[in-house]
Coordinates of all heavy atoms in Angstrom, one line a residue:
M1 N -17.1 -8.3 -61.3 CA -17.8 -8.1 -60.1 C -17.1 -8.8 -59.0 O -16.7 -9.9 -59.1 CB -19.2 -8.6 -60.2 CG -20.1 -8.0 -59.1 SD -21.8 -8.7 -59.3 CE -22.0 -9.5 -57.7
V2 N -16.9 -8.1 -57.9 CA -16.3 -8.7 -56.7 C -17.4 -9.3 -55.8 O -18.2 -8.6 -55.4 CB -15.4 -7.6 -55.9 CG1 -14.7 -8.4 -54.8 CG2 -14.5 -7.0 -56.9
T3 N -17.2 -10.5 -55.5 CA -18.1 -11.1 -54.6 C -17.6 -11.1 -53.2 O -16.5 -11.6 -52.9 CB -18.4 -12.6 -54.9 OG1 -18.5 -12.7 -56.3 CG2 -19.8 -13.1 -54.3
K4 N -18.3 -10.4 -52.3 CA -17.8 -10.4 -50.8 C -18.4 -11.5 -50.1 O -19.7 -11.7 -50.2 CB -18.1 -9.1 -50.2 CG -17.2 -7.9 -50.8 CD -17.4 -6.6 -50.1 CE -16.4 -5.6 -50.5 NZ -16.6 -4.4 -49.9
T5 N -17.7 -12.2 -49.4 CA -18.3 -13.3 -48.6 C -18.1 -12.9 -47.0 O -17.2 -12.2 -46.7 CB -17.6 -14.7 -48.8 OG1 -16.1 -14.4 -48.7 CG2 -17.9 -15.2 -50.1
L6 N -19.0 -13.4 -46.2 CA -18.9 -13.3 -44.8 C -18.0 -14.3 -44.2 O -18.2 -15.5 -44.5 CB -20.3 -13.3 -44.2 CG -21.1 -12.1 -44.3 CD1 -22.4 -12.4 -43.6 CD2 -20.4 -10.9 -43.6
E7 N -17.0 -13.9 -43.5 CA -16.1 -14.8 -42.8 C -16.1 -14.6 -41.3 O -16.3 -13.5 -40.9 CB -14.7 -14.6 -43.4 CG -14.5 -14.9 -44.9 CD -14.2 -16.3 -45.2 OE1 -14.0 -17.0 -44.2 OE2 -14.1 -16.6 -46.4
N8 N -15.6 -15.6 -40.6 CA -15.4 -15.4 -39.2 C -14.0 -14.9 -39.0 O -13.1 -15.6 -39.5 CB -15.7 -16.6 -38.4 CG -17.1 -16.9 -38.1 OD1 -17.8 -17.6 -38.8 ND2 -17.6 -16.1 -37.1
C9 N -13.8 -13.9 -38.3 CA -12.4 -13.3 -38.1 C -11.7 -14.3 -37.1 O -12.2 -14.9 -36.2 CB -12.6 -12.0 -37.4 SG -11.0 -11.4 -36.6
I10 N -10.4 -14.6 -37.5 CA -9.7 -15.7 -36.7 C -9.3 -15.1 -35.4 O -8.9 -15.9 -34.5 CB -8.5 -16.2 -37.5 CG1 -7.5 -15.1 -37.9 CG2 -8.9 -17.1 -38.7 CD1 -6.0 -15.6 -38.0
V11 N -9.4 -13.8 -35.2 CA -8.9 -13.3 -33.9 C -10.1 -13.1 -33.0 O -10.0 -13.6 -31.8 CB -8.2 -11.9 -34.1 CG1 -7.7 -11.4 -32.8 CG2 -7.0 -12.1 -35.0
C12 N -11.1 -12.4 -33.4 CA -12.2 -12.1 -32.4 C -13.4 -13.0 -32.7 O -14.4 -13.1 -31.9 CB -12.6 -10.7 -32.6 SG -13.3 -10.2 -34.1
G13 N -13.4 -13.7 -33.9 CA -14.6 -14.6 -34.2 C -15.7 -14.0 -34.7 O -16.8 -14.5 -35.0
K14 N -15.7 -12.6 -34.9 CA -16.8 -11.8 -35.4 C -17.0 -12.1 -36.9 O -16.0 -12.3 -37.6 CB -16.5 -10.3 -35.1 CG -17.7 -9.5 -34.6 CD -17.2 -8.2 -34.1 CE -16.4 -7.3 -35.1 NZ -15.9 -6.1 -34.6
L15 N -18.2 -12.0 -37.4 CA -18.4 -12.0 -38.7 C -18.1 -10.7 -39.4 O -18.4 -9.7 -38.9 CB -19.9 -12.4 -39.1 CG -20.4 -13.9 -39.1 CD1 -21.9 -13.9 -39.2 CD2 -19.7 -14.7 -40.1
F16 N -17.4 -10.8 -40.6 CA -17.1 -9.6 -41.3 C -17.0 -9.9 -42.7 O -16.9 -11.1 -43.1 CB -15.7 -9.1 -40.7 CG -14.5 -9.9 -41.2 CD1 -13.7 -9.4 -42.2 CD2 -14.3 -11.2 -40.7 CE1 -12.6 -10.1 -42.6 CE2 -13.2 -11.9 -41.1 CZ -12.3 -11.4 -42.0
R17 N -17.1 -8.9 -43.6 CA -17.1 -9.1 -44.9 C -15.6 -9.1 -45.4 O -14.8 -8.3 -45.2 CB -17.7 -7.8 -45.7 CG -19.1 -8.1 -46.1 CD -19.7 -6.9 -46.7 NE -21.0 -6.7 -46.1 CZ -22.1 -7.4 -46.6 NH1 -22.0 -8.4 -47.4 NH2 -23.3 -7.3 -46.0
S18 N -15.2 -10.3 -46.0 CA -13.8 -10.4 -46.3 C -13.6 -10.3 -47.8 O -14.3 -10.8 -48.6 CB -13.3 -11.8 -45.8 OG -13.0 -12.6 -46.8
N19 N -12.6 -9.4 -48.1 CA -12.3 -9.4 -49.5 C -11.2 -10.4 -49.7 O -11.2 -11.2 -50.6 CB -11.7 -8.0 -49.9 CG -12.7 -6.9 -49.8 OD1 -13.9 -7.1 -50.1 ND2 -12.4 -5.8 -49.1
E20 N -10.3 -10.4 -48.8 CA -9.1 -11.4 -48.8 C -8.6 -11.3 -47.4 O -8.8 -10.2 -46.7 CB -8.0 -11.0 -49.7 CG -7.6 -9.6 -49.6 CD -6.5 -9.2 -50.7 OE1 -7.0 -9.1 -51.9 OE2 -5.4 -9.1 -50.5
G21 N -8.1 -12.4 -46.9 CA -7.6 -12.2 -45.5 C -8.6 -12.8 -44.6 O -9.8 -13.0 -44.9
V22 N -8.2 -13.1 -43.3 CA -9.0 -13.8 -42.4 C -9.1 -13.0 -41.1 O -9.6 -13.6 -40.1 CB -8.3 -15.2 -42.1 CG1 -8.5 -16.1 -43.2 CG2 -6.9 -15.0 -41.7
I23 N -8.7 -11.7 -41.2 CA -8.8 -11.0 -40.0 C -9.7 -9.7 -40.3 O -9.5 -9.1 -41.2 CB -7.4 -10.5 -39.4 CG1 -6.6 -11.7 -39.1 CG2 -7.5 -9.6 -38.3 CD1 -5.1 -11.4 -38.8
C24 N -10.6 -9.4 -39.3 CA -11.5 -8.2 -39.6 C -10.7 -7.0 -39.4 O -9.6 -6.8 -38.9 CB -12.7 -8.3 -38.7 SG -12.3 -7.8 -37.0
Q25 N -11.3 -5.9 -39.9 CA -10.6 -4.5 -40.0 C -10.2 -4.1 -38.6 O -9.1 -3.6 -38.4 CB -11.6 -3.6 -40.7 CG -11.0 -2.2 -41.0 CD -9.8 -2.5 -42.0 OE1 -9.9 -3.3 -42.9 NE2 -8.7 -1.7 -41.8
S26 N -11.1 -4.3 -37.6 CA -10.7 -3.7 -36.3 C -9.5 -4.6 -35.7 O -8.7 -3.9 -35.0 CB -11.9 -3.7 -35.3 OG -12.3 -5.0 -35.0
C27 N -9.5 -5.8 -35.9 CA -8.4 -6.6 -35.4 C -7.1 -6.3 -36.2 O -6.0 -6.3 -35.5 CB -8.6 -8.1 -35.5 SG -9.9 -8.6 -34.3
L28 N -7.3 -6.0 -37.4 CA -6.2 -5.7 -38.4 C -5.5 -4.4 -37.8 O -4.2 -4.3 -37.6 CB -6.7 -5.5 -39.7 CG -5.6 -5.9 -40.9 CD1 -5.2 -7.3 -40.8 CD2 -6.2 -5.5 -42.2
E29 N -6.3 -3.4 -37.4 CA -5.8 -2.1 -37.0 C -5.1 -2.3 -35.6 O -4.1 -1.8 -35.3 CB -6.9 -1.2 -36.8 CG -7.3 -0.5 -38.2 CD -8.6 0.2 -38.2 OE1 -9.1 0.6 -37.1 OE2 -9.1 0.5 -39.2
D30 N -5.8 -3.2 -34.8 CA -5.2 -3.5 -33.6 C -3.9 -4.2 -33.6 O -3.0 -3.9 -32.8 CB -6.2 -4.4 -32.8 CG -6.3 -4.1 -31.4 OD1 -6.2 -2.9 -30.9 OD2 -6.4 -5.1 -30.6
K31 N -3.7 -5.0 -34.6 CA -2.5 -5.8 -34.8 C -1.4 -4.8 -35.2 O -0.2 -5.3 -34.9 CB -2.7 -6.8 -35.9 CG -2.2 -8.1 -35.5 CD -2.4 -9.2 -36.6 CE -1.4 -10.3 -36.5 NZ -1.0 -10.7 -35.1
E32 N -1.7 -3.7 -35.8 CA -0.6 -2.9 -36.2 C -0.3 -1.8 -35.2 O 0.6 -0.9 -35.3 CB -1.0 -2.2 -37.6 CG -0.8 -3.2 -38.7 CD -1.6 -2.7 -39.9 OE1 -2.2 -1.7 -40.0 OE2 -1.7 -3.6 -40.9
S33 N -1.1 -1.8 -34.1 CA -0.9 -0.8 -33.1 C 0.3 -1.1 -32.3 O 0.7 -2.2 -32.1 CB -2.1 -0.7 -32.1 OG -2.1 -1.8 -31.3
P34 N 1.0 0.0 -31.8 CA 2.2 -0.3 -31.0 C 1.9 -1.2 -29.8 O 2.8 -2.0 -29.4 CB 2.6 1.1 -30.4 CG 1.9 2.1 -31.3 CD 0.7 1.4 -32.0
Y35 N 0.7 -1.1 -29.2 CA 0.5 -1.8 -28.0 C 0.4 -3.4 -28.4 O 1.0 -4.1 -27.7 CB -0.9 -1.5 -27.5 CG -1.4 -2.4 -26.4 CD1 -0.8 -2.6 -25.2 CD2 -2.5 -3.2 -26.6 CE1 -1.2 -3.4 -24.2 CE2 -3.0 -4.1 -25.7 CZ -2.3 -4.2 -24.4 OH -2.7 -5.0 -23.5
Q36 N -0.1 -3.7 -29.5 CA -0.2 -5.1 -29.9 C 1.3 -5.6 -30.2 O 1.6 -6.7 -29.9 CB -1.0 -5.2 -31.2 CG -1.4 -6.6 -31.5 CD -2.3 -7.3 -30.4 OE1 -3.1 -6.6 -29.8 NE2 -1.9 -8.5 -30.1
K37 N 2.1 -4.8 -30.8 CA 3.5 -5.1 -31.2 C 4.1 -5.5 -29.8 O 4.9 -6.5 -29.7 CB 4.3 -4.0 -31.8 CG 4.0 -4.0 -33.3 CD 5.1 -3.0 -33.9 CE 4.5 -2.2 -35.0 NZ 5.2 -1.1 -35.3
V38 N 4.0 -4.6 -28.9 CA 4.7 -4.8 -27.6 C 4.1 -6.1 -26.9 O 4.9 -6.9 -26.4 CB 4.4 -3.6 -26.6 CG1 4.8 -3.8 -25.2 CG2 5.1 -2.4 -27.2
K39 N 2.9 -6.2 -26.9 CA 2.2 -7.5 -26.4 C 2.7 -8.7 -27.0 O 2.9 -9.7 -26.3 CB 0.7 -7.3 -26.5 CG 0.0 -7.7 -25.2 CD -1.5 -7.6 -25.3 CE -2.1 -8.9 -25.6 NZ -3.6 -8.9 -25.9
D40 N 2.7 -8.7 -28.3 CA 3.1 -9.9 -29.0 C 4.6 -10.2 -28.7 O 4.9 -11.3 -28.5 CB 3.1 -9.6 -30.6 CG 1.7 -9.8 -31.1 OD1 0.8 -10.3 -30.4 OD2 1.4 -9.5 -32.3
Y41 N 5.4 -9.2 -28.6 CA 6.9 -9.4 -28.3 C 7.0 -10.0 -26.9 O 7.8 -11.0 -26.8 CB 7.7 -8.1 -28.4 CG 9.2 -8.3 -28.2 CD1 10.0 -8.8 -29.3 CD2 9.7 -8.0 -27.0 CE1 11.3 -9.0 -29.1 CE2 11.1 -8.3 -26.8 CZ 11.9 -8.8 -27.8 OH 13.2 -9.0 -27.6
L42 N 6.3 -9.5 -26.0 CA 6.4 -10.0 -24.6 C 5.9 -11.3 -24.5 O 6.3 -12.1 -23.6 CB 5.7 -9.0 -23.7 CG 6.4 -7.8 -23.4 CD1 5.5 -6.8 -22.6 CD2 7.7 -8.0 -22.6
F43 N 4.9 -11.7 -25.3 CA 4.4 -13.1 -25.3 C 5.5 -14.1 -25.6 O 5.6 -15.1 -25.0 CB 3.2 -13.2 -26.3 CG 2.6 -14.5 -26.3 CD1 1.6 -14.8 -25.4 CD2 2.9 -15.5 -27.2 CE1 1.1 -16.1 -25.3 CE2 2.3 -16.8 -27.3 CZ 1.4 -17.1 -26.3
F44 N 6.3 -13.7 -26.5 CA 7.4 -14.7 -26.9 C 8.7 -14.4 -26.2 O 9.6 -15.2 -26.2 CB 7.6 -14.6 -28.4 CG 6.5 -15.1 -29.2 CD1 5.7 -14.3 -30.0 CD2 6.2 -16.4 -29.3 CE1 4.6 -14.7 -30.7 CE2 5.1 -16.9 -30.0 CZ 4.3 -16.1 -30.7
H45 N 8.8 -13.3 -25.6 CA 10.1 -12.9 -24.8 C 9.7 -12.5 -23.5 O 9.9 -11.3 -23.1 CB 10.8 -11.9 -25.6 CG 11.1 -12.2 -27.0 ND1 10.3 -11.9 -28.0 CD2 12.2 -12.8 -27.5 CE1 10.8 -12.3 -29.1 NE2 12.0 -12.8 -29.0
R46 N 9.3 -13.4 -22.7 CA 9.0 -13.1 -21.3 C 10.2 -12.7 -20.5 O 11.2 -13.3 -20.7 CB 8.4 -14.4 -20.6 CG 7.0 -14.5 -20.6 CD 6.5 -15.9 -20.3 NE 5.3 -16.3 -20.9 CZ 4.1 -15.9 -20.4 NH1 4.0 -15.3 -19.3 NH2 3.0 -16.3 -21.1
G47 N 10.1 -11.7 -19.8 CA 11.2 -11.3 -19.0 C 12.1 -10.2 -19.8 O 13.1 -9.8 -19.2
A48 N 11.7 -9.9 -20.9 CA 12.5 -8.9 -21.7 C 12.4 -7.5 -21.0 O 11.4 -7.2 -20.3 CB 12.0 -8.8 -23.1
S49 N 13.4 -6.8 -21.1 CA 13.5 -5.4 -20.4 C 12.8 -4.4 -21.3 O 12.6 -4.8 -22.5 CB 14.8 -5.0 -20.1 OG 15.5 -4.6 -21.4
V50 N 12.3 -3.4 -20.8 CA 11.7 -2.3 -21.5 C 12.5 -1.9 -22.7 O 12.0 -1.7 -23.8 CB 11.4 -1.1 -20.6 CG1 10.9 0.1 -21.4 CG2 10.5 -1.4 -19.5
F51 N 13.8 -1.8 -22.5 CA 14.8 -1.4 -23.6 C 14.8 -2.4 -24.7 O 14.9 -2.1 -25.8 CB 16.1 -1.0 -23.0 CG 16.0 0.2 -22.1 CD1 16.0 0.1 -20.7 CD2 15.9 1.5 -22.7 CE1 15.9 1.1 -19.9 CE2 15.7 2.6 -21.8 CZ 15.8 2.4 -20.5
E52 N 14.9 -3.7 -24.3 CA 14.8 -4.7 -25.3 C 13.6 -4.7 -26.2 O 13.6 -4.8 -27.4 CB 14.9 -6.1 -24.6 CG 16.3 -6.6 -24.3 CD 16.3 -7.8 -23.4 OE1 15.3 -8.5 -23.3 OE2 17.4 -8.1 -22.7
V53 N 12.5 -4.5 -25.5 CA 11.2 -4.5 -26.2 C 11.2 -3.4 -27.1 O 10.8 -3.4 -28.3 CB 10.1 -4.3 -25.2 CG1 8.7 -4.2 -25.9 CG2 10.0 -5.6 -24.2
S54 N 11.6 -2.1 -26.6 CA 11.6 -0.9 -27.5 C 12.5 -1.2 -28.8 O 12.1 -0.9 -29.9 CB 12.2 0.2 -26.7 OG 12.4 1.3 -27.5
E55 N 13.7 -1.8 -28.4 CA 14.6 -2.0 -29.6 C 14.0 -2.9 -30.6 O 14.0 -2.7 -31.8 CB 15.9 -2.7 -29.0 CG 16.9 -2.9 -30.0 CD 18.0 -1.8 -29.9 OE1 17.7 -0.7 -29.5 OE2 19.2 -2.0 -30.2
A56 N 13.4 -4.0 -30.1 CA 12.9 -5.1 -31.1 C 11.6 -4.6 -31.8 O 11.4 -5.0 -32.9 CB 12.6 -6.3 -30.3
T57 N 10.8 -3.8 -31.1 CA 9.5 -3.5 -31.7 C 9.4 -2.1 -32.4 O 8.7 -1.8 -33.1 CB 8.4 -3.5 -30.7 OG1 8.7 -2.5 -29.7 CG2 8.2 -4.8 -30.1
G58 N 10.5 -1.2 -32.0 CA 10.5 0.1 -32.6 C 9.6 1.0 -31.9 O 9.3 2.1 -32.4
V59 N 8.9 0.5 -30.8 CA 8.0 1.3 -30.0 C 8.8 2.1 -29.0 O 9.7 1.6 -28.4 CB 7.0 0.5 -29.4 CG1 6.0 1.2 -28.5 CG2 6.2 -0.4 -30.4
E60 N 8.5 3.4 -28.9 CA 9.2 4.2 -28.0 C 9.1 3.7 -26.4 O 8.0 3.2 -26.0 CB 8.6 5.6 -28.0 CG 9.1 6.5 -29.1 CD 8.4 7.9 -28.9 OE1 8.8 8.7 -28.1 OE2 7.4 8.1 -29.7
V61 N 10.2 3.8 -25.8 CA 10.3 3.5 -24.4 C 9.1 4.2 -23.5 O 8.5 3.6 -22.7 CB 11.7 3.7 -23.8 CG1 11.7 3.6 -22.3 CG2 12.7 2.8 -24.4
K62 N 9.0 5.4 -23.8 CA 8.0 6.2 -23.2 C 6.7 5.6 -23.3 O 5.9 5.5 -22.3 CB 7.9 7.6 -24.0 CG 7.7 8.8 -23.1 CD 8.0 10.1 -23.9 CE 7.3 10.1 -25.2 NZ 7.5 11.3 -26.0
L63 N 6.4 5.1 -24.4 CA 5.0 4.5 -24.7 C 4.8 3.1 -24.0 O 3.8 2.9 -23.4 CB 4.8 4.3 -26.2 CG 3.4 4.2 -26.7 CD1 2.6 5.4 -26.3 CD2 3.4 4.0 -28.2
I64 N 5.9 2.4 -23.9 CA 6.0 1.2 -23.3 C 5.8 1.3 -21.8 O 5.0 0.6 -21.1 CB 7.2 0.4 -23.6 CG1 7.4 0.1 -25.0 CG2 7.3 -1.0 -22.7 CD1 8.8 -0.5 -25.4
L65 N 6.4 2.4 -21.3 CA 6.3 2.7 -19.8 C 4.9 3.1 -19.5 O 4.4 2.8 -18.4 CB 7.3 3.8 -19.5 CG 8.8 3.4 -19.4 CD1 9.7 4.6 -19.1 CD2 9.0 2.3 -18.4
K66 N 4.3 3.7 -20.4 CA 2.8 4.2 -20.2 C 2.0 2.9 -20.1 O 1.1 2.9 -19.3 CB 2.5 5.0 -21.4 CG 1.0 5.7 -21.3 CD 0.8 6.6 -22.5 CE -0.6 6.8 -22.6 NZ -1.4 6.0 -23.6
Y67 N 2.1 1.9 -21.0 CA 1.4 0.7 -21.0 C 1.6 0.0 -19.7 O 0.7 -0.6 -19.1 CB 1.8 -0.2 -22.2 CG 1.5 0.3 -23.5 CD1 2.4 -0.1 -24.6 CD2 0.4 1.1 -23.7 CE1 2.1 0.4 -25.9 CE2 0.2 1.6 -25.0 CZ 1.0 1.3 -26.1 OH 0.8 1.7 -27.3
L68 N 2.8 0.0 -19.2 CA 3.2 -0.6 -17.9 C 2.5 0.0 -16.8 O 1.9 -0.6 -15.9 CB 4.7 -0.4 -17.7 CG 5.7 -1.5 -18.0 CD1 7.1 -1.1 -17.6 CD2 5.3 -2.7 -17.1
K69 N 2.5 1.3 -16.8 CA 1.8 2.1 -15.7 C 0.3 1.9 -15.7 O -0.3 1.8 -14.7 CB 2.1 3.6 -16.0 CG 2.3 4.4 -14.7 CD 2.8 5.7 -15.0 CE 2.1 6.8 -14.3 NZ 2.4 8.2 -14.8
E70 N -0.2 1.7 -17.0 CA -1.7 1.4 -17.0 C -2.0 -0.1 -16.7 O -3.2 -0.4 -16.7 CB -2.2 1.7 -18.4 CG -2.1 3.3 -18.8 CD -2.3 3.5 -20.2 OE1 -2.3 2.6 -21.0 OE2 -2.5 4.7 -20.6
G71 N -1.0 -0.9 -16.5 CA -1.1 -2.3 -16.1 C -1.5 -3.1 -17.3 O -2.1 -4.2 -17.2
R72 N -1.3 -2.7 -18.5 CA -1.8 -3.4 -19.7 C -0.7 -4.5 -20.1 O -1.0 -5.3 -20.8 CB -1.9 -2.4 -20.9 CG -3.1 -1.4 -20.6 CD -3.1 -0.4 -21.7 NE -3.7 -0.9 -22.9 CZ -3.8 -0.2 -24.1 NH1 -3.2 1.0 -24.2 NH2 -4.4 -0.7 -25.1
I73 N 0.5 -4.2 -19.7 CA 1.6 -5.2 -20.0 C 2.4 -5.4 -18.7 O 2.4 -4.5 -17.8 CB 2.6 -4.8 -21.1 CG1 3.2 -3.4 -20.8 CG2 1.8 -4.8 -22.5 CD1 4.3 -3.0 -21.7
T74 N 3.1 -6.5 -18.7 CA 4.0 -6.7 -17.5 C 5.4 -6.9 -18.1 O 5.7 -7.8 -18.9 CB 3.6 -8.1 -16.8 OG1 2.2 -8.0 -16.6 CG2 4.3 -8.1 -15.4
V75 N 6.3 -6.1 -17.5 CA 7.7 -6.3 -17.9 C 8.5 -6.4 -16.6 O 8.2 -5.7 -15.6 CB 8.3 -5.0 -18.6 CG1 9.8 -5.1 -19.0 CG2 7.5 -4.9 -20.0
L76 N 9.5 -7.2 -16.6 CA 10.2 -7.5 -15.4 C 11.3 -6.4 -15.2 O 11.8 -5.8 -16.2 CB 11.0 -8.8 -15.5 CG 10.1 -10.0 -15.5 CD1 11.0 -11.3 -15.6 CD2 9.3 -10.0 -14.2
Ligands
ZN101 ZN1 -11.6 -9.5 -35.6

């Protein structure tokens, strides 16, 4: 029998049923989204160009430009 325990997600702090791992399902999905990849990359590489970000994350330039336009990320 598998015992599921309630844990606090390390990202959003929400209680969730954890089988293994410390991140809830919605944060996990978020983490794998292209937006999150771009955001993470920019966090560590401030001032990277759109093309650098695209190259490093594998996210299409088109999509990165869309995030930019929406004001979700800042690229120099
Ligand atoms: Zn979470």
Side-chain angles (χ1 to χ4, degrees):
M1 194 181 121
V2 183
T3 323
K4 289 186 175 181
T5 51
L6 279 179
E7 298 268 359
N8 279 98
C9 168
I10 57 157
V11 179
C12 67
K14 225 166 54 184
L15 274 177
F16 72 108
R17 261 176 226 285
S18 110
N19 298 319
E20 54 188 68
V22 289
I23 298 175
C24 75
Q25 193 59 39
S26 69
C27 288
L28 211 62
E29 279 166 18
D30 215 34
K31 227 178 150 40
E32 283 159 8
S33 76
Y35 171 64
Q36 194 60 42
K37 274 192 216 162
V38 170
K39 222 180 99 183
D40 280 352
Y41 184 80
L42 283 172
F43 182 80
F44 292 109
H45 303 87
R46 265 164 212 276
S49 75
V50 172
F51 295 102
E52 273 169 21
V53 176
S54 173
E55 185 99 334
T57 58
V59 178
E60 277 180 80
V61 168
K62 218 169 48 183
L63 203 55
I64 298 171
L65 290 175
K66 187 175 159 265
Y67 296 148
L68 258 181
K69 220 169 127 188
E70 289 168 352
R72 297 171 80 186
I73 56 168
T74 316
V75 176
L76 292 181

